[in-house]
């Protein structure tokens, strides 16, 4: 453990603690946003004030553990341990367990209104599907485990450095990485693209053409309950919190079928509304289209009555090259027109620059700077063009379970927190 900034008025102490207890302490302190040393200090203080020792803790396999405590506390603690006739290791273990019992894991912060995030761009090939999957995985990760996250200041540094020093973005500096608890949200990924990329990448099976589908529900011709089509993704790393509504090739006909539907802009909302109570976040992987289906997706992401700005809306995925800029203009024009025509608020949640590689030279670095200069919406994610995402797709596994410590996984977690 590194010395805190106030180490000059604290003393380093070394003892032993069982690995499982040390890990629980590390996770719980992170969940409460405090230093481990502060938790140990409080635990020792409370334990020493008790009339007697607490229940015995199994300290088998205890290993070296060090922390910083106020001057004199360790000596006082050693005296109490001696008076109670137990070992120093047992006393420390009881103190830590006492703090854990007094500070249970906090409940997951759930939104009052189910968040609806529309991942979109008119241009294909920018990686909308990868961002949808990675963001959903990051939102659903275990809240009782620690995961490597690139902190917000690191993203800002990478974006500043990208212009003058292209090789610095995205950053790989370990000092810019924090281990934080997962967000633990219940997430539904909706594959809204007839090409079924999200469905295939996550190892699920596209829905058959002669069965039920999201298209049928949007067109007013359901053949069953939409819940029956949902599949769970990666139960072990995501604890059953990550689900997928697979796509069907019949979505190629969606615009034609929607043309005969009344209030067609609300078709996606009518289909998904019955599912919203089961989820904290619904992410929609949109097709590279500016048709009626995109109108329905954008409308679904509009800000609802009582919903805070920036909770739901459009997350735009681009690349650092010129054609993405052209597609961006087309998409934002469509969304802005929909805003005006229907008098609704559709928030932009930000821009994600995906598949970035500064080695592509001036085109990449200058394009990245162009995205940064937009300011509104701002760049909320910078994801490198690295091999782990391609490997995860080939293996049909979620990126954050296939390569949880990769720079892309770290960036996905940063993105999840940027738009939280």
């Amino acid at each position: 453990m590194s010395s805190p900034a106030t180490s000059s008025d604290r003393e380093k102490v070394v003892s032993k603690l069982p690995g499982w207890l040390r890990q629980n302490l590390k996770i719980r302190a992170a969940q409460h946003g405090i230093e481990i040393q502060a938790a140990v200090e409080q635990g020792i203080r409370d334990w020493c004030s008790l009339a007697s020792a607490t229940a015995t803790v199994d300290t088998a396999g205890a290993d070296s553990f060090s922390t910083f405590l106020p001057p004199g506390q360790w000596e006082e603690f050693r005296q109490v341990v001696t008076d109670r006739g137990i070992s120093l290791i047992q006393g420390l273990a009881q103190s830590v367990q006492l703090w854990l019992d007094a500070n249970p894991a906090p409940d997951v912060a759930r939104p009052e209104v189910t968040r609806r995030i529309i991942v979109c761009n008119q241009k294909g090939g920018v990686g909308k599907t990868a961002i949808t999957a990675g963001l959903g995985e990051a939102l659903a990760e275990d809240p009782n485990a620690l995961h490597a996250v690139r902190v917000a200041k690191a993203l800002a540094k990478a974006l500043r450095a990208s212009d003058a020093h292209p090789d610095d973005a995205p950053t790989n500096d370990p000092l810019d990485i924090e281990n934080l608890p997962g967000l633990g949200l219940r997430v539904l990924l909706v594959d809204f693209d007839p090409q079924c990329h999200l469905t295939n990448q996550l190892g699920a099976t596209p829905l058959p053409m002669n069965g039920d589908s999201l298209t049928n529900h949007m067109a007013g011709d359901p053949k069953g309950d939409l819940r029956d089509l949902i599949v769970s993704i990666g139960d072990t790393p995501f604890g059953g919190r990550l689900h997928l509504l697979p796509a069907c090739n019949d979505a190629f006909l969606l615009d034609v079928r929607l043309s005969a539907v009344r209030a067609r802009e609300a078709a996606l909302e009518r289909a998904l509304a019955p599912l919203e109570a089961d989820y904290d976040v619904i992410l929609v992987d949109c097709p590279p289209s500016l048709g009626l289906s995109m109108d329905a997706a954008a409308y679904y992401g509009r800000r609802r009555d009582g919903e805070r700005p920036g909770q739901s809306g459009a997350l735009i995925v681009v690349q650092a090259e010129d054609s993405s800029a052209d597609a961006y203009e087309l998409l934002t024009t469509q969304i802005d027109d929909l805003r005006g025509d229907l008098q609704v608020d559709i928030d932009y949640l930000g821009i994600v620059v995906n598949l970035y590689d500064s080695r592509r030279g001036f085109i990449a670095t200058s394009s990245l700077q162009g995205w940064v200069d937009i300011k509104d919406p701002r760049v909320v994610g910078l994801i490198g063009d690295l091999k782990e995402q391609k490997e995860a797709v080939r293996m049909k596994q979620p990126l954050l379970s296939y390569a949880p410590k990769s720079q892309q996984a770290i960036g996905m977690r940063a993105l999840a927190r940027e738009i939280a």
Side-chain angles (χ1 to χ4, degrees), residues 161-167 169 319-322 355-370:
S162 63
D163 191 34
H165 304 287
D167 290 334
Q319 288 186 17
E321 41 77 41
D322 294 338
L355 299 172
Y356 181 73
D357 187 348
S358 62
R359 294 172 299 180
R360 295 190 179 117
F362 176 73
I363 294 295
T365 57
S366 61
S367 294
L368 174 59
Q369 189 59 49

Side-chain angles (χ1 to χ4, degrees), residues 4 19 32 34 64-65 67-68 89 100 122 135 187 196 240 242 269 286 291 306 321 331 353 359-360 369-370 388 410:
H32 286 277
I34 67 172
S64 179
F65 173 78
T67 188
F68 291 85
I89 296 173
L100 290 170
Q122 184 269 339
L135 175 57
V187 178
C196 307
L242 183 64
E269 179 163 313
C286 294
E321 41 77 41
L331 174 65
V353 182
R359 294 172 299 180
R360 295 190 179 117
Q369 189 59 49
E388 286 81 5
I410 290 170

Side-chain angles (χ1 to χ4, degrees), residues 278-319:
D278 298 333
Y279 298 99
D280 301 308
V281 184
I282 295 179
L283 287 135
V284 180
D285 182 27
C286 294
S289 166
L290 295 178
L292 298 178
S293 56
M294 187 59 221
D295 279 348
Y299 183 83
Y300 183 56
R302 80 193 187 286
R303 191 193 316 160
R304 294 178 179 171
D305 291 342
E307 188 173 20
R308 290 189 294 111
Q311 289 295 287
S312 297
L315 183 67
I316 303 175
V317 182
V318 301
Q319 288 186 17

Side-chain angles (χ1 to χ4, degrees), residues 202-382:
L202 292 176
T205 302
L207 300 172
M209 287 285 287
N210 59 351
D212 201 9
S213 67
L214 177 59
T215 298
N216 288 336
H217 284 256
M218 291 179 66
D221 185 27
K223 298 182 179 180
D225 190 331
L226 205 56
R227 286 184 179 84
D228 295 337
L229 306 180
I230 293 173
V231 297
S232 185
I233 299 296
D235 278 344
T236 300
F238 307 111
R241 290 178 295 273
L242 183 64
H243 294 167
L244 168 71
L245 178 56
C248 177
N249 292 136
D250 67 355
F252 279 115
L253 304 174
L254 179 58
D255 280 8
V256 174
R257 297 182 68 179
L258 283 180
S259 65
V261 174
R262 294 184 63 184
R264 53 181 176 261
E265 292 86 359
L268 182 59
E269 179 163 313
R270 287 195 297 269
L272 296 180
L275 307 177
E276 290 180 5
D278 298 333
Y279 298 99
D280 301 308
V281 184
I282 295 179
L283 287 135
V284 180
D285 182 27
C286 294
S289 166
L290 295 178
L292 298 178
S293 56
M294 187 59 221
D295 279 348
Y299 183 83
Y300 183 56
R302 80 193 187 286
R303 191 193 316 160
R304 294 178 179 171
D305 291 342
E307 188 173 20
R308 290 189 294 111
Q311 289 295 287
S312 297
L315 183 67
I316 303 175
V317 182
V318 301
Q319 288 186 17
E321 41 77 41
D322 294 338
S323 60
S324 277
D326 297 335
Y328 170 82
E329 294 294 337
L330 291 171
L331 174 65
T332 54
T333 296
Q334 179 178 6
I335 292 176
D336 291 345
D337 286 346
L338 196 64
R339 281 169 158 175
D341 293 344
L342 300 180
Q343 294 296 295
V344 294
D345 292 314
I346 302 173
D347 296 329
Y348 292 112
L349 303 183
I351 296 171
V352 180
V353 182
N354 192 32
L355 299 172
Y356 181 73
D357 187 348
S358 62
R359 294 172 299 180
R360 295 190 179 117
F362 176 73
I363 294 295
T365 57
S366 61
S367 294
L368 174 59
Q369 189 59 49
W371 293 119
V372 173
D373 289 343
I374 290 177
K375 304 300 183 187
D376 183 18
R378 65 186 178 91
V379 173
V380 293
L382 179 63

Side-chain angles (χ1 to χ4, degrees), residues 92-123:
L92 180 61
Q94 289 184 19
S95 298
V96 169
Q97 187 60 57
L98 183 65
W99 183 85
L100 290 170
D101 292 342
N103 296 272
D107 293 333
V108 172
R110 304 195 184 281
E112 294 182 4
V113 178
T114 299
R115 299 183 64 190
R116 299 153 329 278
I117 300 175
I118 311 306
V119 184
C120 52
N121 194 335
Q122 184 269 339
K123 184 180 185 299

